[in-house]
Amino acid sequence: MFLTISTRGDAAHPATDLGYLLHKHPDKAQKFSTSYGTAHVFYPEADDLRCTAALLLEIDTLALVRRGKGKGRGGAPDAALAQYVNDRPYAASSLLAVALSGVFSSAMKGTCHARPELPERARPLRIEVPALPARGGPELVRRLFEPLGWTVTAEPVPLDAEFPEWGDSRYARLVLEAEELTLAEALRHLYVLLPVLDDAKHYWVSSDEVDKLLRAGEGWLPAHPEQKLITSRYLSRRWSLTRQAMERLELVRLAEADDSEVEEIDNAVEAETEEEERPTPLAVQRREAILAALRDRGAARVLDLGCGQGELVRELLKDVRFTEIVGLDVSVRALTIASRRLKLDRMGERQASRVKLVQGSLAYTDKRLRGFDAAVLSEVIEHLDLPRLPALEYAVFGHARPRTVLVTTPNVEYNVRWETLPAGHARHGDHRFEWTREEFRTWAARVAERHGYGVEFAPVGPDDPEVGPPTQMALFTIKTEKEAKAA
């Protein structure tokens, strides 16, 4: 994945000022770690008359598969293969946009402490992207960039040069040229519009993406003729987020037209003196249901398997009846965050003796997990590839064998009730599957029978008469010898 930024200059304003703006010295080749690979910055040419900075992004394809979005969803027969055979290492996308914002963050913000006068100076710029995914074709590329002052050359890339009759691919070679534009403006244009043209993001889009869009779009997005398309695609077509962004953009437009501040426009309703009653988040309802089930079964020593950042562990610590709590997760980073949030380093000796965070994988047996009253697998199983699920089943039910096991997982039938979730999409980008109530019950009954447990089921969240609850919970209890013989 490759991108170049070029500028021209003269003796009074040398082109090598680009190095100051990017905070990257033209005489050095530098590399930077990103979430999914390594970014390299170097200068193919650098003198007073012309300077070019290149950003080369090497993608760690295995990291992209392990941590990426959309793996195995939708039941497509080639879904597993598509994780490995795709255009992500080569075509400009949200991966490149994120690398731009990370490597050139100061330039994107328009700050340069060494030469503070440079960021505000408009300059001639030329940007080249050899492989740009363009859902909408070269015409859409022009509609997006030309209103921003760019001269656009978008040449479609043929599917195969040897067979022109096959037509063009969805990729284009892009060249952007402008005579009077600041570097910060150019980078913000790319940051927003690269993922818009690809019409995909490699990470889960949450509410903070609205703020990112408005920051990067400041000064140009409110008046852009393709504002609605840009906003919708940037926010992965999540309707509620798109509506929120459009409302805020309209306020900005009105404020600019009235030469006033947004706060002056958005003042029709005074601040409420009383807090509005808000629905309890599903995550909170899930933890409450788990805690109630553990108390009902008299559990004192509890495992939180796949504990993530420690939300359930924190709630367990509040109840003194839980005398030993072990949180296990495969992610060292998640455990580090959990430790920080739980403030383990500042916890009193008695409280600290009740809790332990350990790193481990549920794909393998672990003698540290034996002898506990209960184990919780909350929103865990759906993150495993289905062929690896039997290994987890044996590690928990066959080897660790706690007296009680609580498993929660999304009910895919309820997804039609989420207005922000496009049809056919999973609730989280890392979900390998989401089960119907019947599929979950079939799996749970088979696991219980194989390992000597009884199983009951309970809804979590509002139990819709047509599609059931948003979360389904199975409560496994190990059978006594008498119950096992009777069975």
Side-chain angles (χ1 to χ4, degrees):
M1 201 180 297
F2 190 66
L3 175 147
T4 60
I5 304 171
S6 302
T7 188
R8 303 189 307 274
D10 52 35
H13 302 292
T16 48
D17 284 348
L18 183 64
Y20 285 102
L21 288 166
L22 294 175
H23 293 251
K24 307 291 181 286
H25 198 287
D27 292 340
K28 297 179 181 178
Q30 301 178 56
K31 64 179 181 179
F32 307 86
S33 294
T34 71
S35 301
Y36 296 92
T38 304
H40 301 265
V41 178
F42 56 94
Y43 289 76
E45 56 182 347
D47 56 39
D48 288 354
L49 298 181
R50 185 173 173 84
C51 184
T52 298
L55 174 64
L56 173 66
L57 182 60
E58 290 184 300
I59 298 298
D60 182 344
T61 52
L62 292 180
L64 190 61
V65 168
R66 292 180 184 133
R67 302 171 55 196
K69 173 183 175 185
K71 293 169 280 192
R73 293 195 320 217
D78 62 344
L81 180 61
Q83 297 179 59
Y84 299 94
V85 183
N86 55 55
D87 64 355
R88 298 300 85 178
Y90 314 105
S93 65
S94 59
L95 289 160
L96 184 58
V98 170
L100 276 172
S101 69
V103 175
F104 300 140
S105 59
S106 296
M108 190 175 291
K109 294 173 185 173
T111 59
C112 178
H113 298 301
R115 299 278 301 279
E117 77 282 1
L118 290 181
E120 295 300 320
R121 182 183 299 160
R123 63 189 63 249
L125 291 172
R126 178 185 173 93
I127 294 174
E128 296 187 47
V129 183
L132 175 76
R135 295 185 187 274
E139 176 57 32
L140 179 60
V141 179
R142 286 187 282 271
R143 280 164 40 204
L144 294 181
F145 282 102
E146 284 180 349
L148 302 175
W150 293 101
T151 300
V152 180
T153 303
E155 300 174 350
V157 176
L159 280 172
D160 192 318
E162 298 295 321
F163 300 93
E165 64 273 16
W166 288 3
D168 295 327
S169 68
R170 72 179 185 91
Y171 303 94
R173 175 181 174 270
L174 175 66
V175 178
L176 301 173
E177 294 178 288
E179 287 300 318
E180 294 287 332
L181 205 64
T182 68
L183 181 62
E185 290 173 319
L187 292 174
R188 289 197 292 265
H189 296 166
L190 292 170
Y191 177 75
V192 173
L193 297 180
L194 288 180
V196 166
L197 283 165
D198 187 29
D199 199 12
K201 282 198 171 182
H202 67 278
Y203 56 88
W204 180 249
V205 173
S206 56
S207 57
D208 62 344
E209 291 296 297
V210 175
D211 293 325
K212 293 181 186 177
L213 173 63
L214 296 182
R215 281 197 300 270
E218 184 178 359
W220 62 270
L221 183 56
H224 198 291
E226 298 293 340
Q227 177 200 100
K228 187 172 183 180
L229 180 144
I230 293 169
T231 303
S232 176
R233 284 196 178 190
Y234 184 87
L235 297 171
S236 295
R237 304 179 191 271
R238 295 193 62 187
W239 306 318
S240 63
L241 297 183
T242 302
R243 184 170 60 247
Q244 178 186 338
M246 293 295 290
E247 290 171 352
R248 290 172 62 180
L249 285 167
E250 178 63 12
L251 283 173
V252 171
R253 188 189 67 79
L254 291 172
E256 290 177 348
D258 198 39
D259 195 22
S260 60
E261 297 296 325
V262 170
E263 291 76 10
E264 297 176 30
I265 298 291
D266 192 21
N267 64 354
V269 179
E270 294 182 4
E272 296 186 11
T273 56
E274 295 185 8
E275 184 100 11
E276 287 187 15
E277 186 176 347
R278 298 179 181 179
T280 304
L282 182 58
V284 174
Q285 296 182 58
R286 194 159 46 232
R287 288 195 291 272
E288 290 175 348
I290 291 168
L291 290 167
L294 292 172
R295 292 172 185 136
D296 287 345
R297 282 152 181 76
R301 304 177 66 238
V302 180
L303 294 167
D304 183 8
L305 303 177
C307 66
Q309 298 179 13
E311 291 89 349
L312 179 60
V313 172
R314 182 174 59 243
E315 296 303 314
L316 289 165
L317 276 169
K318 294 176 182 178
D319 193 331
V320 293
R321 78 187 76 191
F322 301 117
T323 58
E324 184 178 354
I325 305 156
V326 172
L328 176 138
D329 204 282
V330 72
S331 169
V332 174
R333 182 172 180 271
L335 291 172
T336 301
I337 295 172
S339 177
R340 186 171 67 245
R341 290 184 174 179
L342 293 169
K343 301 178 181 176
L344 292 185
D345 57 335
R346 288 178 276 171
M347 192 175 286
E349 184 176 346
R350 178 177 296 182
Q351 187 81 328
S353 67
R354 296 173 55 213
V355 62
K356 182 186 298 183
L357 300 178
V358 297
Q359 195 272 338
S361 170
L362 294 174
Y364 305 97
T365 58
D366 190 334
K367 63 182 181 182
R368 296 174 298 177
L369 307 183
R370 304 199 70 168
F372 282 79
D373 299 328
V376 178
L377 291 156
S378 180
E379 310 301 286
V380 171
I381 60 173
E382 64 273 10
H383 291 271
L384 273 70
D385 292 316
L386 282 170
R388 302 186 68 184
L389 202 51
L392 175 144
E393 294 167 12
Y394 178 73
V396 176
F397 295 91
H399 184 263
R401 293 191 67 76
R403 190 171 71 243
T404 299
V405 181
L406 275 64
V407 179
T408 72
T409 193
N411 167 23
V412 71
E413 296 169 81
Y414 192 88
N415 286 1
V416 296
R417 297 292 188 256
W418 300 112
E419 68 165 19
T420 59
L421 187 65
H425 283 233
R427 294 186 201 176
H428 191 281
D430 192 48
H431 286 183
R432 307 311 206 270
F433 62 87
E434 288 179 355
W435 276 334
T436 64
R437 288 167 289 173
E438 182 61 31
E439 288 170 329
F440 182 53
R441 287 171 180 262
T442 300
W443 170 81
R446 176 176 54 78
V447 170
E449 182 178 4
R450 178 177 297 170
H451 297 288
Y453 283 78
V455 63
E456 305 169 33
F457 300 92
V460 179
D463 198 355
D464 189 288
E466 294 181 4
V467 297
T471 295
Q472 44 194 339
M473 180 165 65
L475 303 96
F476 298 84
T477 305
I478 201 165
K479 292 180 179 179
T480 64
E481 189 174 338
K482 182 178 180 180
E483 289 172 332
K485 287 180 179 179

